[in-house]
Amino acid sequence: MITTDLTPGAPCWLDLGAPDVRAAADFYGAVLGWEYESMGGEGEDMEGGMFRKDGKIVAGLGRLTEEGARSAWMIYYTVTDADAAAQAVERAGGTVRVAPRDLGEWGRMAQFSDPLGGQFAAWQPGSNSGFELVDEPGSLSWTELYTSDAAAAREFYGAVFGWRFGDMELPGGGGTYVLITPAGQPEERMQGGLMEVGKEDLALAGGHPYWHPVFAVADCDASVARVEGNGGRVQMGPMDAEGVGRLAVCLDPSDADFVVLTPARS
């Protein structure tokens, strides 16, 4: 379960880099019921803002400006010291993509890559702790990493965040899914998972590992219909996962990937 507290190592924010901010705002508004709130600013290069669901902030949106980069969701994890996190990333063999920097009084951020190229970010809260709504329809409910080397990912992220890991065998001989829990938290605070896949399954990110968000929805099939009806595509599903719920892996019109999940009833 993801919460809005400040537990170190837990997800606290996510934002989307999109080549067309207005098109992305319209798509996610139609699919997830989000309202886009512009941050203002002059010119297209300044374009960006926040997504709200039921009046609460759930994510950010900005124009993709990095040359050669693909449109993708970036997941941020809470840290007590962004500079110390950057040092831990480098000690563990990762790369600092964006050095720690202050964003006014809101907090301090940094962006990284793991040793195989999977991108993620850290947030040291100031006046802003991150998103305001999670684990409800139209908000983040899980995070997931696809990687070609699960053992290396466990070693790296364990060193950086102190995460605890647990193995779950997938039905039908589908392999092992690794569950992630923040350090010092009980099992019910599991926040995500990682799965080893073949290089051919990482084509979306040029063969590199990648994180993607899982959004809770009230009706997976209806959400998939909205994805396809608004220019997106479905990579997998909808399908039922025992004990998890009904889910589909989707792409928005710019090929940023995400999952919609209607959780199983407890």
Side-chain angles (χ1 to χ4, degrees):
M1 180 177 68
I2 295 176
T3 73
T4 55
D5 64 17
L6 300 180
T7 299
C12 62
W13 184 247
L14 71 163
D15 56 35
L16 174 67
D20 186 328
V21 168
R22 176 47 58 188
D26 291 343
F27 174 81
Y28 288 97
V31 172
L32 296 173
W34 288 352
E35 296 179 355
Y36 175 64
E37 181 180 290
S38 175
M39 296 287 287
E42 296 296 329
E44 290 187 359
D45 289 341
M46 296 293 291
E47 194 173 11
M50 305 290 183
F51 284 119
R52 292 183 182 268
K53 174 69 174 177
D54 300 329
K56 296 181 178 180
I57 295 174
V58 291
L61 172 63
R63 185 169 177 267
L64 184 66
T65 58
E66 184 178 347
E67 186 174 351
R70 76 178 185 98
S71 182
W73 284 97
M74 180 71 72
I75 301 173
Y76 292 70
Y77 296 92
T78 298
V79 296
T80 56
D81 186 328
D83 296 87
Q87 294 167 8
V89 165
E90 293 183 319
R91 284 196 303 270
T95 302
V96 177
R97 297 182 62 251
V98 178
R101 62 181 62 177
D102 290 325
L103 296 182
E105 63 178 18
W106 288 2
R108 191 164 173 80
M109 64 80 70
Q111 293 185 357
F112 311 116
S113 294
D114 68 25
L116 294 178
Q119 297 182 5
F120 65 103
W123 179 251
Q124 177 185 332
S127 62
N128 189 315
S129 59
F131 37 47
E132 299 172 346
L133 182 71
V134 292
D135 267 342
E136 297 289 343
S139 67
L140 184 70
S141 64
W142 193 251
T143 64
E144 194 167 61
L145 173 68
Y146 289 168
T147 180
S148 58
D149 191 334
R154 290 171 69 136
E155 182 177 357
F156 173 78
Y157 290 100
V160 172
F161 291 122
W163 288 344
R164 294 189 296 108
F165 303 99
D167 292 342
M168 180 180 74
E169 295 304 314
L170 296 174
T176 301
Y177 191 83
V178 180
L179 299 164
I180 299 169
T181 305
Q185 297 298 308
E187 284 191 0
E188 56 264 29
R189 285 295 307 275
M190 285 179 185
Q191 65 192 31
L194 65 89
M195 186 166 63
E196 185 167 306
V197 298
K199 284 278 190 179
E200 65 278 7
D201 298 315
L202 299 173
L204 191 65
H208 298 297
Y210 59 91
W211 287 94
H212 59 211
V214 177
F215 297 118
V217 293
D219 186 326
C220 178
D221 293 77
S223 297
V224 164
R226 290 193 292 271
V227 167
E228 295 178 320
N230 287 277
R233 294 184 288 131
V234 176
Q235 283 192 304
M236 183 180 71
M239 60 181 287
D240 294 316
E242 185 177 353
V244 176
R246 189 161 176 81
L247 61 88
V249 181
C250 304
L251 299 174
D252 71 16
S254 297
D255 286 347
D257 56 301
F258 63 99
V259 176
V260 290
L261 168 68
T262 301
R265 294 181 179 179
S266 56

